[in-house]
Amino acid sequence: MDGTVILRAGTPNDDNRDYLPEAIKGSDMVVNENGNNSQPYPQRLRECTGVLTDDGLTDRWYEYVPESYDGSRAVPLVVGNHGGLMTGWGHAIYTSWTMLADREGLICVFPDAHQARIWQVEGMFEGSKTPSFFDDMDLAAVPADYRENHDLNYVKALIAEMQRKYNIDKGRIFMQGMSAGNLMTAQFCRYYGDILAGAAGSGGPTQLDMLFTDDGELKNVAGHLPVWQARPETNGTPPGRPYDEPLLNRFNRFYWMHLNECGPIPRIRIEGEHNLAFYTGKKGDVVYHDIKNRDHGQTLDEAFLYWDYFFSGLRRNPDGSITRSETPLPRTGDAFAIAVTGGTDQAWFGNRIVPMSAPAVKWQKLKYHGLNGGTKVRGEYVCVPLRFLAQVCGAEYLPGEGSLTARLILKDGRTLQFARGSIGCVIDRDIRSMYCEALHRNGELLVSAEWFCRYLLNLQVSQCDGVVYITDHFAALSANMADVIRELLFGKLFPENFRYMEYQAL
C-alpha cells in the first residue's frame, strides 16, 4: 500500500431498520442513518478468540493489520470499543479506522464485550429501570472493585497480547469508543489510562457520580491523559435513563481539563458541521468536539479527525509524561471569527474574549398590524454596537451627536450611515433595509450583527440557541459549541468546585 485512502463501493440497504444487521458481516452491504454510515466489511479484518484473563473466560476480538505491516518497525495501536448491542466488527465498519490504518500503517483491534454485547461499566444502569431490550439478558453486576471487572482486565490483557504478537510502539497506544464503548473507554482511562498516549470517544458522556465524589473530589487512579470528547448535537437520551446532557457534557470536559491542568480559554475552530474547541494543558490537551445535526453515534470521518488533529502528535514517555509534536492539521482557532450573544458586553474575536462598548441585545422583529393587538415574530437577531463592528472589519467609525446616528467608512471606500429607530442603511447614495431597526442602548447605536456581516461583508453567519458565530468560511454552529461560547462570554469559565449538583447553568 502507498498510503492512499480508498473508498470501496458497497451495496446500500436502505430498507434496513436493524441496529446491526448480521448480514453485513463478510459482505459489501452498507447502511446509512444521519451520519452513522458504514463501510463495506474490511477484507483484512480477522476474527480471533482466546483466553486472556486469569478468570479463564474466552473472549472474541477483531484485528486489522494493514498490508504494509512487515514487523520491521514499531507501529501505533488503536483499540476501538463498540457501542451497546454492537460488536467489534460492527465498530470496525461504522468507523474509518481500518482506512486510516491503511494510510498510516498502524494496527487496529476491536474487542467484543464479553457478555450480551454490553460492556461492564460502572453506573451504566444504576438508579433507573434497565431498558426493556435488556430484560431477557442475564447481565452480571459490575464489580465494585475495578480490578475484578472482567472487561477492564480483558481489554488491558488484549493490549498486552497485541504487543506480544506485533511490533507495537509502546508509547503510541490509543483508544476510542462510541456510546457504551465511550463509557468503557472513559472507565479504562480512569483506571489504566497511564498505558495510553491518548483517548477519544463519541456520544456517551459518563454519569457524574462516576467522576466526582459528593464533595467534588475527582475519582481517578491513572492520572492525566490527552482526551478528545465528541458530542453529536442531537445525541439524545440513552434508553431508560434521562439525564441533563449539557451538565454531563460540561463536567465530563471539566474533569479532564482539571486532570490535564488545562487553561480555561480554548481555540475555537468550526469546519462545516464539525465544531472544535482545543484546550491546552500542562500535562495533556483536551479537545471538545460537537457535530451539527448528527444523532447519537459517530461520523465516518471521526477517526481521521482524531488522528490528524490529535493522536498523530502524541506519545506517552516512560516517565508518564506526554510529548506533543506537530500534527498534519494544527489545533488552531479560526483565523477570523466573531461570536456574540445577547445580554453581555463581551464578544469572541481573534480567539480571545474582548469587551464591547455596550451589551449585545437579542431583538425581535415583530408583525402586529391586523392581529388585533397580537404579534408575530418575523425574525430574531443579536444587535451589537456599531463601534465593535467597525473594529472587527477595520472601518473608520464616526458617531453623530449622542451616537443617535453614525457613519462608517469601510476599507473598500464604501460609506455607511445608520440612525436610531431606522431599518435603513445608507450605502454611499443608496438605501437598503436591514433585518431590523437600529437600536440605541447605553449611549451606543446597535445593529443586527447578522445583517451587517452577511450583506456588507459577505461573511458566513451561523446561529444556534441565541449565539451568533461569524466566519469567512462555511461553518455551522452547533448547540454544544454555543454552550461553550456562552460560558466564555458570561465569564463562567470553570466551576468554583466540582459539586456538579450545585452548578448553576446560564
Side-chain angles (χ1 to χ4, degrees), residues 169-244:
D169 187 335
K170 186 177 180 180
R172 305 199 68 206
I173 300 172
F174 305 96
M175 186 174 290
Q176 183 264 333
M178 189 278 286
S179 188
N182 182 28
L183 299 180
M184 178 60 184
T185 298
Q187 177 179 247
F188 190 93
C189 292
R190 295 195 297 275
Y191 296 117
Y192 298 121
D194 50 356
I195 69 176
L196 304 176
S202 298
T206 298
Q207 292 292 339
L208 300 184
D209 52 355
M210 299 297 105
L211 301 179
F212 304 98
T213 68
D214 291 342
D215 293 328
E217 299 296 323
L218 275 64
K219 298 180 180 181
N220 186 274
V221 173
H224 62 276
L225 177 70
V227 166
W228 180 304
Q229 295 183 338
R231 301 289 185 252
E233 183 184 50
T234 52
N235 187 47
T237 302
R241 185 168 186 178
Y243 60 64
D244 182 343

Side-chain angles (χ1 to χ4, degrees), residues 53 241 246 274 295 416:
T53 54
R241 185 168 186 178
H274 290 292
D295 291 309
L416 315 175

Side-chain angles (χ1 to χ4, degrees), residues 33-325:
E33 183 207 12
N34 192 28
N36 296 310
N37 301 341
S38 69
Q39 59 160 313
Y41 197 89
Q43 295 173 344
R44 297 182 64 84
L45 191 64
R46 187 166 70 93
E47 182 177 314
C48 304
T49 59
V51 177
L52 302 180
T53 54
D54 292 339
D55 55 19
L57 297 177
T58 299
D59 285 296
R60 178 181 290 105
W61 64 92
Y62 298 82
E63 298 175 4
Y64 189 86
V65 180
E67 186 178 344
S68 62
Y69 176 79
D70 61 10
S72 62
R73 64 180 182 88
V75 300
L77 172 69
V78 173
V79 181
N81 295 325
H82 64 77
L85 300 184
M86 291 191 72
T87 61
W89 66 261
H91 195 73
I93 66 166
Y94 273 104
T95 68
S96 52
W97 282 119
T98 59
M99 288 185 275
L100 184 73
D102 288 337
R103 190 190 78 175
E104 296 294 329
L106 56 86
I107 290 176
C108 299
V109 63
F110 305 98
D112 276 0
H114 179 75
Q115 61 168 352
R117 299 185 177 183
I118 297 296
W119 297 103
Q120 282 194 321
V121 174
E122 300 166 323
M124 184 183 295
F125 300 125
E126 293 173 13
S128 67
K129 182 184 184 298
T130 301
S132 59
F133 47 74
F134 294 110
D135 286 348
D136 297 329
M137 298 181 184
D138 184 18
L139 295 176
V142 178
D145 187 338
Y146 73 92
R147 289 165 293 194
E148 298 177 3
N149 184 310
H150 172 79
D151 282 345
L152 276 176
N153 292 332
Y154 155 46
V155 173
K156 184 169 181 271
L158 180 58
I159 292 173
E161 174 70 4
M162 297 298 289
Q163 290 176 295
R164 184 190 67 79
K165 292 176 67 173
Y166 304 105
N167 188 2
I168 300 297
D169 187 335
K170 186 177 180 180
R172 305 199 68 206
I173 300 172
F174 305 96
M175 186 174 290
Q176 183 264 333
M178 189 278 286
S179 188
N182 182 28
L183 299 180
M184 178 60 184
T185 298
Q187 177 179 247
F188 190 93
C189 292
R190 295 195 297 275
Y191 296 117
Y192 298 121
D194 50 356
I195 69 176
L196 304 176
S202 298
T206 298
Q207 292 292 339
L208 300 184
D209 52 355
M210 299 297 105
L211 301 179
F212 304 98
T213 68
D214 291 342
D215 293 328
E217 299 296 323
L218 275 64
K219 298 180 180 181
N220 186 274
V221 173
H224 62 276
L225 177 70
V227 166
W228 180 304
Q229 295 183 338
R231 301 289 185 252
E233 183 184 50
T234 52
N235 187 47
T237 302
R241 185 168 186 178
Y243 60 64
D244 182 343
E245 189 169 8
L247 185 71
L248 280 177
N249 288 342
R250 288 189 195 103
F251 276 83
N252 274 252
R253 173 163 44 93
F254 292 155
Y255 178 90
W256 287 107
M257 288 174 64
H258 182 77
L259 278 171
N260 292 338
E261 299 181 16
C262 291
I265 310 296
R267 297 177 301 281
I268 295 175
R269 185 178 192 87
I270 303 181
E271 299 179 358
E273 295 179 328
H274 290 292
N275 287 237
L276 301 161
F278 303 120
Y279 295 88
T280 301
K282 294 179 181 179
K283 294 183 176 180
D285 297 342
V286 171
V287 181
Y288 189 62
H289 175 203
D290 188 16
I291 307 100
K292 183 72 175 177
N293 191 34
R294 292 301 171 95
D295 291 309
H296 183 73
Q298 59 199 340
T299 60
L300 190 64
D301 55 358
E302 280 186 45
F304 280 75
L305 295 175
Y306 298 147
W307 188 264
D308 290 341
Y309 272 118
F310 203 45
F311 286 172
S312 62
L314 298 176
R315 172 176 292 280
R316 172 79 70 171
N317 299 313
D319 64 0
S321 64
I322 299 292
T323 296
R324 288 164 284 195
S325 58

